[in-house]
């Protein structure tokens, strides 16, 4: 049975989470990060995710903008940049308008043309997602943008994945879900989605009991997969 609904994680899947630090590093006023932007970007992302997991486990939710800001503060401090208020402000501004990966518009267009419903399911707060979607120019290619804020807990809590059924109806098996996070793809497979791991960096599969149904290098294969999933 072909998938009826195609759902995408946002950060790292549709939007390039390294783009903010990379762009800042190219700006004349942000030379402080020119030689360390990759390390800052990686540490920022890692702490952002770690803080979301910890908050989900202990039951102390905060919106993703708070978690993102906290993660950046740690990364800047770890790289001796915590006193640079202008850099912090610029990085956060750029994060609200992250670049989409090049294949994103065409992938969503092909899915819509084949009659699929398309959506984002993200840890991101509604305002963050609204800014990113508008900056990428993909508003018209999405049927829904679903945020964890409606359930007050981060992925991989099953209440997050259940948002898709609450919005579109149907069974989990009718949903194709794509994420660049291996843990997210595995958790979605456990929930019952047809799960695709977008493994852009060639990492090994996580040692979890649940595995993604498919592993791809980028999003360009997903329309073909959706028609036979």
């Amino acid at each position: 049975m072909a998938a009826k609904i195609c759902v995408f994680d946002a950060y790292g899947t549709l939007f390039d989470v390294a783009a903010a630090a990379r762009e800042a590093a190219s700006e004349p006023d942000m030379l402080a990060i020119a030689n360390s932007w990759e390390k800052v970007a990686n540490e920022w992302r890692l702490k952002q995710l770690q803080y979301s997991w910890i908050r989900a486990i202990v039951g102390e939710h905060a919106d993703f903008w708070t978690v993102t800001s906290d993660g950046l503060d740690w990364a800047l401090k770890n790289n001796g940049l915590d006193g640079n208020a202008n850099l912090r402000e610029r990085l956060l501004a750029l994060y609200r308008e992250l670049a989409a990966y090049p294949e994103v518009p065409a992938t969503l267009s092909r899915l819509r043309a084949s009659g699929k419903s398309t959506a984002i399911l993200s840890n991101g707060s509604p305002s963050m997602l609204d800014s990113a979607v508008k900056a990428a120019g993909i508003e018209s290619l999405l049927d829904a943008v679903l945020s964890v804020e409606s359930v007050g807990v981060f992925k991989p809590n099953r209440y997050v994945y259940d948002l898709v059924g609450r919005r579109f109806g149907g069974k989990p098996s009718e949903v194709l879900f794509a994420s660049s996070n291996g843990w997210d793809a595995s958790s979605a497979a456990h929930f019952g989605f047809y799960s695709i791991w977008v493994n852009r960096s060639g990492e090994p599969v996580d040692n979890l009991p649940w595995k993604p149904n498919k592993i791809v290098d980028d999003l360009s294969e997903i329309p073909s997969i959706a028609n036979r999933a």
Side-chain angles (χ1 to χ4, degrees):
M1 178 181 64
K4 296 179 180 179
I5 306 158
C6 296
V7 181
F8 298 85
D9 172 60
Y11 297 103
T13 304
L14 297 180
F15 307 120
D16 182 359
V17 291
R22 184 173 58 246
E23 185 171 341
S26 70
E27 297 177 355
D29 293 340
M30 298 292 147
L31 293 178
I33 200 175
N35 295 322
S36 60
W37 74 266
E38 289 182 277
K39 185 170 180 286
V40 170
N42 290 336
E43 292 174 353
W44 185 4
R45 176 60 169 168
L46 178 61
K47 286 298 175 181
Q48 179 193 54
L49 291 174
Q50 288 177 345
Y51 294 163
S52 73
W53 297 330
I54 292 167
R55 285 185 173 277
I57 291 168
V58 302
E60 293 290 343
H61 185 71
D63 69 27
F64 203 55
W65 187 246
T66 298
V67 171
T68 298
S69 301
D70 289 345
L72 174 60
D73 288 341
W74 189 95
L76 290 175
K77 186 172 184 178
N78 196 48
N79 288 274
L81 298 168
D82 48 315
N84 193 329
N86 289 336
L87 174 60
R88 180 184 188 273
E89 182 179 351
R90 182 59 179 150
L91 287 169
L92 288 173
L94 289 168
Y95 202 92
R96 283 197 172 272
E97 298 183 350
L98 291 174
Y101 287 104
E103 77 276 13
V104 168
T107 296
L108 294 175
S109 294
R110 289 172 61 196
L111 289 169
R112 293 291 293 273
S114 64
K116 311 296 183 188
S117 297
T118 58
I120 284 174
L121 178 65
S122 173
N123 278 343
S125 63
S127 63
M128 290 177 69
L129 294 170
D130 182 62
S131 295
V133 167
K134 287 179 177 177
I138 58 174
E139 307 103 301
S140 64
L141 301 177
L142 294 164
D143 293 295
V145 178
L146 306 175
S147 166
V148 302
E149 286 308 300
S150 62
V151 290
V153 67
F154 292 118
K155 296 178 186 177
N157 189 288
R158 66 181 296 106
Y159 289 126
V160 176
Y161 301 113
D162 193 46
L163 287 172
V164 178
R166 287 168 55 182
R167 169 61 175 80
F168 292 99
K171 303 174 182 178
S173 59
E174 297 174 325
V175 176
L176 181 153
F177 177 80
S179 177
S180 64
N181 299 297
W183 56 269
D184 190 15
S186 295
S187 299
H190 176 255
F191 184 78
F193 291 160
Y194 184 94
S195 177
I196 297 179
W197 180 25
V198 187
N199 186 11
R200 295 182 184 274
S201 56
E203 297 178 0
V205 177
D206 281 313
N207 292 323
L208 293 169
W210 328 286
K211 307 299 181 186
N213 298 89
K214 187 81 173 176
I215 301 174
V216 298
D217 296 329
D218 60 33
L219 301 174
S220 59
E221 293 182 55
I222 287 181
S224 297
I225 296 169
N227 288 320
R228 59 178 187 269

